Amino acid sequence: MAGRPTFRGRLAVSIGAAVALLAGLVAVLSTNAYAAAGCRVTYRVTSQWPGGFTGDVAVTNLGDPVTGWTLRWTFGAGQTVAQTWNATVTASGAQVTAVNAGYNGSIATNATVSFGFNGSWTGSNPVPASFTLNGTTCTGGVMSPSATPSASASVSASASTSPQPGNAMAAVAAMQPGWNLGNSLDATGADETSWGNPRVTAALLDNIRAQGFNSIRIPVTWGQHMGGAPGYTVDAAWLARVREVVDWALADGFYVVVNVHHDSWQWINTMPSDRTNVQNRFNALWTQLAAAFRTSSPKLVFESVNEPQFTGSSGDAQNAELLAALNTEFRRIVRASGGTNATRLLVLPTLHTSADQARVDELTATFNQSGDPNLIATVHFYGYWPFSVNIAGGTRFDAAVEQDLVGQFDRVATAFVSRGIPVIIGEYGLLGFDRHTGTIEQGEKLKFFEYLGYYARTKRLTTMLWDNGQHFGRTSFAWSDPELFAQLRSSWTTRSGTASADVVYVPKTGSPAAQTLTLNLNGTTFQSLRQGSTDLVRGTDYTVSGNQLTLTASALTRLVGSRSYGVNATLQARFSAGVPWRINIVTYDPPLLSAATGTTAAFTLPAQFRGDQLATMEAKYADGSNAGPQNWTSFKEFDVTFAPDYAAGTIALRPAFFAEVNDNAKVTLTFHFWSGTKVTYAVTRSGSTVTGTLS
């Protein structure tokens, strides 16, 4: 299109450079003196980005059958292997060894096995000069038993930057990282702007591609754009609009996922009581979509349904049976339509896209029955619920949050990835982000996303960030939180050091005392502490003992300066890898609250925050029982029941809080601040009137 940004030109240049690195290595081996032997090895860089790349290795056996194989090569420019699939890959210095997985050890004559990996590179990324298979140097033809192996290897260039058809693991690895175009084409109103986002533009997709994303999930809600039975015809203009956006994304080089999105709770959920009509409508929809995209690029991926759910079912068994029916019909319809759809990658979700073991087991059964090598499993991940929404005291990225993540990722990796079935985390984020990104404290959320990116890499899971407009500006093309995105981007390839906190609170009165933070090195080494472009002096301004970073009293005295409330200085702890860890030096005094009156619909209490920030709020009746909604915990949900406004100097108590407060019963509120300060306050509801006093 005329007037489009020049991203495609830049992409073409980078692809041209990458092609110079791609090669197919053709070689022959002799396994022993008694067997004819030969093989062809094709080594391809399928995706490359600054500091990282995805490699695909295909081994074709041209000689007698092989049972158990070991492939070895040497990296010539310091490359390293991180994640692998379909083989066990180890390295000793530059020497790399790949050993077959349990399910692909036998290679018949003229058969091929493939494996892949994500790696890192600096400077250059040349193709290995030679390979050995089972100890013999590969040379390029089939050898008779008496032939002498040749050490030569022929290298041929390959211009393809996409994994070969049928290698689903490699394709999904090349999709990392991914981004969701949320709250646009999935909006349930008349058009894509009905939920407040502007119309999608080609420039938006170009700019997302430029951020380093390799795949884009385009959620689409179809129900309001479909006619009635029996044809359930999709509105032609809507289908054309979806296709326009898909084609823009494909032209930008993205892998593109298109799905059936909010239809899951609009009409598909009625399947238990209306099975025939729902199945017919679902089948009609996918029949039309399969026909519309029949010849589209294989980089277009279909996802059967988003977050499937059923209302009024008899329980887990029926839910599993209904979802299996939808997934099975989806696959049958797409495959039968022919064209590129015959082998197109298809994404199947668990019930609710949950990673609970029972849900994973149900989807595993569907995969086992299909026998289709071009299927992808998907779940969603929004973190440990108390932390994700800030309730029940879940203010920190702690062991419970980490273990929840590890458990979910381990379950899908064990069930699918270990068997060569790729997994996409189709959406990830924190649930509190749906209100605003400040629901979870900045440093704690940075630690969460640093670990998420790291652990997903170790489990070979492709991740797709959910963005409904709260992260990347749809017209500004800028990140609302650049620090958060920097942490996300870093986590795609390496770990970053963090610390126990990102704020050091210094009381306004009295002489500052030395303060210590615990460093989370995460495999890195601490390098320096910096303010702006100036390094602080180790031993004078700070000390490091093991993982303990201590800021000296003299340094804090200098950094707080005139000691006005709020951030007086910002430091960066710098590590050997990843992004620096920001540390704000803040002057504070205990916050002061004031009496107030209002209504259950609108109650705010005056608050002088005096440099401090609110972490959470407890609510209890006089007898010690918990007050307010979700009374299984005294700690209420941030922003749903209470919300600070630092600019206005107020704390609002929401209508949702008073809706579940007993009439004429005093409630004692304890506000917990990040400095460690606690302030109590009392509210009493009488009908719709609320009175607040200092406790």
Side-chain angles (χ1 to χ4, degrees), residues 267-279:
W267 55 272
I268 293 174
N269 64 317
T270 66
M271 197 172 178
S273 59
D274 193 22
R275 178 165 184 166
T276 298
N277 288 328
V278 169
Q279 187 75 70

Side-chain angles (χ1 to χ4, degrees), residues 113 218-219 280 286 316 340 350 364 413 495 498 540 599 630:
V113 295
I218 303 178
N280 288 345
W286 272 114
D316 287 349
T340 313
T350 60
T364 300
R495 295 216 68 177
T498 65
T540 301
T599 68
Q630 294 162 321

Side-chain angles (χ1 to χ4, degrees), residues 421-443:
I421 299 169
V423 173
I424 294 175
I425 307 297
E427 296 177 13
Y428 75 93
L430 290 167
L431 294 172
F433 285 180
D434 283 345
R435 298 189 297 279
H436 61 80
T437 58
T439 299
I440 293 86
E441 195 273 337
Q442 182 74 358

Side-chain angles (χ1 to χ4, degrees), residues 26-31 35-41 59-66 107-111 133 136-144:
V26 181
V28 169
L29 73 155
S30 175
T31 55
C39 77
R40 180 171 58 249
V41 178
V59 182
T60 301
N61 178 29
L62 305 177
D64 290 344
V66 171
I107 318 176
T109 302
N110 294 321
L133 186 62
T136 302
T137 303
C138 301
T139 59
V142 178
M143 300 169 107
S144 67

Side-chain angles (χ1 to χ4, degrees), residues 107-139:
I107 318 176
T109 302
N110 294 321
T112 300
V113 295
S114 297
F115 65 93
F117 62 90
N118 285 335
S120 62
W121 65 281
T122 56
S124 63
N125 188 17
V127 170
S130 64
F131 292 84
T132 65
L133 186 62
N134 290 351
T136 302
T137 303
C138 301
T139 59

Side-chain angles (χ1 to χ4, degrees), residues 351-441:
L351 186 71
H352 305 295
T353 53
S354 164
D356 289 350
Q357 190 63 58
R359 308 289 81 81
V360 170
D361 291 345
E362 291 159 1
L363 186 61
T364 300
T366 299
F367 274 79
N368 291 343
Q369 292 164 8
S370 76
D372 191 328
N374 292 316
L375 299 181
I376 303 165
T378 190
V379 296
H380 293 173
F381 182 72
Y382 284 98
Y384 183 58
W385 183 67
F387 176 75
S388 190
V389 301
N390 192 346
I391 193 174
T395 58
R396 295 187 181 275
F397 176 69
D398 58 14
V401 181
E402 180 179 318
Q403 275 308 117
D404 177 76
L405 184 154
V406 167
Q408 295 198 45
F409 286 12
D410 280 357
R411 285 192 289 275
V412 295
T414 299
F416 300 112
V417 177
S418 67
R419 300 170 54 208
I421 299 169
V423 173
I424 294 175
I425 307 297
E427 296 177 13
Y428 75 93
L430 290 167
L431 294 172
F433 285 180
D434 283 345
R435 298 189 297 279
H436 61 80
T437 58
T439 299
I440 293 86
E441 195 273 337

Side-chain angles (χ1 to χ4, degrees), residues 198-211:
R199 189 172 170 85
V200 177
T201 63
L204 169 64
L205 304 191
D206 290 343
N207 277 274
I208 281 293
R209 187 75 169 103
Q211 304 304 308

Side-chain angles (χ1 to χ4, degrees), residues 114-278:
S114 297
F115 65 93
F117 62 90
N118 285 335
S120 62
W121 65 281
T122 56
S124 63
N125 188 17
V127 170
S130 64
F131 292 84
T132 65
L133 186 62
N134 290 351
T136 302
T137 303
C138 301
T139 59
V142 178
M143 300 169 107
S144 67
S146 60
T148 301
S150 167
S152 64
S154 62
V155 178
S156 60
S158 168
S160 172
T161 59
S162 298
Q164 295 177 344
N167 194 340
M169 283 292 294
V172 172
M175 293 171 70
Q176 174 68 5
W179 180 83
N180 273 272
L181 180 64
N183 286 24
S184 286
L185 295 173
D186 56 318
T188 58
D191 69 8
E192 66 195 87
T193 67
S194 65
W195 282 1
N197 276 325
R199 189 172 170 85
V200 177
T201 63
L204 169 64
L205 304 191
D206 290 343
N207 277 274
I208 281 293
R209 187 75 169 103
Q211 304 304 308
F213 291 99
N214 291 322
S215 60
I216 182 170
R217 183 171 178 256
I218 303 178
V220 184
T221 300
W222 301 91
Q224 70 271 34
H225 304 287
M226 296 175 70
Y232 300 107
T233 303
V234 176
D235 177 69
W238 180 248
L239 183 56
R241 173 58 176 159
V242 173
R243 177 148 202 161
E244 179 179 43
V245 176
V246 168
D247 287 346
W248 286 341
L250 289 170
D252 267 339
F254 282 111
Y255 282 86
V256 181
V257 179
V258 168
N259 74 355
V260 172
H261 204 74
H262 292 303
D263 307 80
S264 63
W265 57 263
Q266 287 186 313
W267 55 272
I268 293 174
N269 64 317
T270 66
M271 197 172 178
S273 59
D274 193 22
R275 178 165 184 166
T276 298
N277 288 328
V278 169

